[in-house]
Amino acid sequence: MNLRALALALVVTGCAPTLAGQLKGPGGIIVTSKEARVNISSLAPDNKAAPVVVEVDSSGRFAASESLEPGPYLVEALVPGFAPESRRVMLGETDGLEIEMKPVPRARASTVGANYGGDPDRGAGGATLTPPNL
């Protein structure tokens, strides 16, 4: 490969489209977590590539490290404590993507009832206990 062909290959590779964005919550707050992930899946019928899994940095930003073919993609954001969010995007028409995450309400534990009283001659289920004759 001559020097001109090598330079052209580097330019073409460096210009290949990629997908990047940021996760935000209500009020524009930055959403991040060590467990946060973004899945990028091609929706093109002829593309059989596996989904790309991207980590989210401390500023809520994500970016695919490899180049992607232009076309339709499904971007799914998964962050603990937030509802999963997904967007359909057309790579080549989208420069940056902002995904607004919605917090999941925390469940509250409540007690229904408990049997605290007891009779020493009866089991917890109300059965009569009779010791064997020896």
Side-chain angles (χ1 to χ4, degrees), residues 50-78:
V52 176
V53 179
V54 181
E55 293 183 4
V56 178
D57 69 13
S58 60
S59 62
R61 296 189 182 281
F62 62 90
S65 59
E66 62 254 16
S67 60
L68 303 170
E69 294 293 322
Y73 283 85
L74 179 66
V75 179
E76 299 171 293
L78 306 168

Side-chain angles (χ1 to χ4, degrees), residues 31-37 77-84 101-104:
V31 173
T32 187
S33 168
K34 290 181 182 179
E35 293 85 27
R37 299 291 181 268
L78 306 168
V79 182
F82 291 85
M101 305 296 293
K102 295 174 186 73
V104 175

Side-chain angles (χ1 to χ4, degrees), residues 9-105:
L10 289 173
V11 169
V12 170
T13 304
C15 294
T18 188
L19 192 57
Q22 187 173 29
L23 305 180
K24 291 193 175 182
I29 63 167
I30 293 172
V31 173
T32 187
S33 168
K34 290 181 182 179
E35 293 85 27
R37 299 291 181 268
V38 174
N39 299 329
I40 302 171
S41 306
S42 174
L43 297 175
D46 58 337
N47 189 335
K48 303 294 185 215
V52 176
V53 179
V54 181
E55 293 183 4
V56 178
D57 69 13
S58 60
S59 62
R61 296 189 182 281
F62 62 90
S65 59
E66 62 254 16
S67 60
L68 303 170
E69 294 293 322
Y73 283 85
L74 179 66
V75 179
E76 299 171 293
L78 306 168
V79 182
F82 291 85
E85 290 291 329
S86 62
R87 300 282 185 281
R88 292 180 77 141
V89 297
M90 184 65 78
L91 189 61
E93 296 177 6
T94 305
D95 289 337
L97 182 63
E98 189 173 292
I99 299 176
E100 185 172 338
M101 305 296 293
K102 295 174 186 73
V104 175

